[in-house]
Amino acid sequence: MKLCFNEATTLENSNLIKDLEYCNKHGYDYIEIRTMDKLPEYLENHSIDDLATFFKTNHIKPLALNALVFFNNRSEEEYKGIIEEFKGMLETAQKIGAQYIVAVPLVTEQKILKNEIKDSCVKVLNELSKMAEPFGIKIAVEFVGHPQCTVNTFEQAYDIVQTVDRDNVGLVFDCFHFHAMGSNLEEFRKADINKIFIVHIDDTEDFPIGFLTDEDRVWPGLGAIDLDGIFSILKEKGYDDAVSVELFRPEYYKLDAEQAIKTAKDTTIKAVSKHYSYEGKESFSL
C-alpha cells in the first residue's frame, strides 16, 4: 500500500509548492491535487509543464485531481460546464501523470428522488467514462456522508458504479464519509475490491449519524471510526493501492504546514500498520 497526501489537510496553511516539498521530504508516494484552489494558485506563476517536470524528477507522484464537483442532477447549461471542466481536467491529468479524477455528487437542499439521482449519476458517469477512456484516466466517485449530499452512503454509491459497470469508474472509499451516514461494514465486505480506487483515511469525533461535518475530522486513530474493521476488510480482500490522508480540521490549519504533513504521515502509519507492515518511508506492504 502506498502513502498519499490529500491537500485538504493543509487547505489554509500551505500551497501546492509547499505541499509538494514537504510531502516529498517526508516520503509520501502520492499527492491528491486540489483543482478548486491550490492548482489555480500554482498556475498563476507556474505552468502545467513545470508541475509535470517536478513529478518526473522527484519520488512523489500525482495520484488524482480532486475534484470534479456536483456532477449529477444539473441543468442542461450546468451540465455543459461540467463536461468542459472535465475535458480540461483530463488534459491536465494526462500531462502530469495522474491516475484518477475524483468526482463528487451534488450537495443540495433540494429533495430529489433516489431513482432520479441514480439515473442522472449513471448517465453522466457513462459519458465521462467514455471521454476518459482514450486518456487512460479513471474516475473515482466520492460519496459524501452528509444528509444533503445526493449520494451519501457506500451502498448507494456502490450500486451506482456497479450499474455503470465500466472498468474506469469506481469509488473513493473515505472512512469519514462511510462512518458519518452509518454505511454498513458487512455490505462493504461483500463488495468487489476492484471497484475501490482510492482509500481516504481520517477519523472523527463521536457525534451521531447525520450530524458530522468535515471539521469534526481528527488524525487517524484518535477518533471513533472503526478503522480496524475497515482496514481488516481491505487487507482480507487484497487492496494494496493508495491510502490518502484527508482532514479538514480548523485547529490543524493553525499548525506549521510541515508539522501537519509529518503528523498526518505518523498517525496514518500507526493506524494502518496494524494491518499492513510499513517498510521504510516508501510504502506499506501486505
Side-chain angles (χ1 to χ4, degrees):
M1 185 178 285
K2 299 290 187 178
L3 183 63
C4 180
F5 183 79
N6 184 296
E7 286 195 288
T9 308
T10 52
L11 183 58
E12 296 180 9
N13 57 344
S14 189
N15 56 38
L16 179 55
I17 292 175
K18 289 181 180 179
D19 287 344
L20 288 169
E21 176 189 350
Y22 296 144
C23 287
N24 199 53
K25 174 181 176 180
H26 289 284
Y28 283 84
D29 302 288
Y30 291 115
I31 190 167
E32 287 187 78
I33 297 173
R34 282 182 61 90
T35 57
M36 301 87 80
D37 35 53
K38 289 192 176 183
L39 181 59
E41 180 188 28
Y42 173 88
L43 292 175
E44 290 175 5
N45 297 298
H46 301 83
S47 69
I48 289 296
D49 288 338
D50 293 333
L51 191 56
T53 298
F54 176 89
F55 286 125
K56 287 177 182 176
T57 55
N58 287 277
H59 171 76
I60 195 168
K61 304 302 177 197
L63 181 70
L65 298 182
N66 196 325
L68 181 73
V69 297
F70 306 164
F71 67 85
N72 58 298
N73 297 96
R74 307 299 295 271
S75 69
E76 189 62 33
E77 184 177 350
E78 290 170 334
Y79 179 63
K80 290 178 181 177
I82 290 290
I83 295 300
E84 288 304 310
E85 181 180 356
F86 189 66
K87 287 179 182 177
M89 294 178 80
L90 285 171
E91 293 172 1
T92 298
Q94 186 179 57
K95 284 181 180 179
I96 66 174
Q99 301 174 45
Y100 303 102
I101 293 174
V102 175
V104 177
L106 177 66
V107 177
T108 178
E109 293 184 2
Q110 178 187 357
K111 288 184 177 181
I112 306 174
L113 293 171
K114 288 182 69 176
N115 69 304
E116 294 177 3
I117 294 167
K118 180 177 178 179
D119 289 347
S120 177
C121 286
V122 169
K123 179 181 178 181
V124 176
L125 289 171
N126 268 302
E127 181 166 357
L128 298 181
S129 171
K130 292 172 185 175
M131 291 172 61
E133 210 163 34
F135 291 84
I137 306 296
K138 295 184 177 182
I139 302 160
V141 181
E142 183 170 9
F143 63 98
V144 176
H146 189 278
Q148 292 177 335
C149 185
T150 51
V151 183
N152 58 24
T153 66
F154 172 78
E155 295 90 331
Q156 184 188 10
Y158 184 72
D159 177 55
I160 288 167
V161 300
Q162 285 291 87
T163 302
V164 173
D165 194 25
R166 295 182 66 89
D167 290 343
N168 66 346
V169 178
L171 293 177
V172 175
F173 184 102
D174 185 298
C175 297
F176 172 84
H177 293 316
F178 186 89
H179 172 87
M181 284 296 290
S183 293
N184 190 294
L185 208 59
E186 289 309 308
E187 290 300 315
F188 174 47
R189 192 185 301 275
K190 299 174 188 176
D192 178 1
I193 200 64
N194 293 314
K195 286 299 183 183
I196 308 299
F197 288 171
I198 302 171
V199 171
H200 283 174
I201 190 170
D202 32 45
D203 218 325
T204 185
E205 295 179 280
D206 196 11
F207 293 114
I209 290 171
F211 283 86
L212 287 157
T213 61
D214 278 329
E215 67 181 15
D216 300 318
R217 300 188 189 207
V218 296
W219 302 118
L222 302 186
I225 297 177
D226 183 9
L227 294 179
D228 284 341
I230 290 169
F231 278 90
S232 65
I233 292 173
L234 287 168
K235 181 178 180 180
E236 172 190 317
K237 296 178 77 68
Y239 180 86
D240 61 356
D241 294 317
V243 56
S244 183
V245 56
E246 182 189 38
L247 305 172
F248 293 85
R249 186 81 175 181
E251 293 95 315
Y252 299 168
Y253 292 149
K254 297 177 183 179
L255 299 173
D256 173 77
E258 183 172 10
Q259 179 188 352
I261 287 169
K262 185 178 185 303
T263 303
K265 176 188 176 182
D266 292 344
T267 54
T268 296
I269 290 171
K270 185 175 181 180
V272 173
S273 290
K274 296 176 183 178
H275 306 281
Y276 293 84
S277 61
Y278 184 67
E279 299 177 350
K281 73 175 187 178
E282 294 188 350
S283 65
F284 295 96
S285 65
L286 290 168

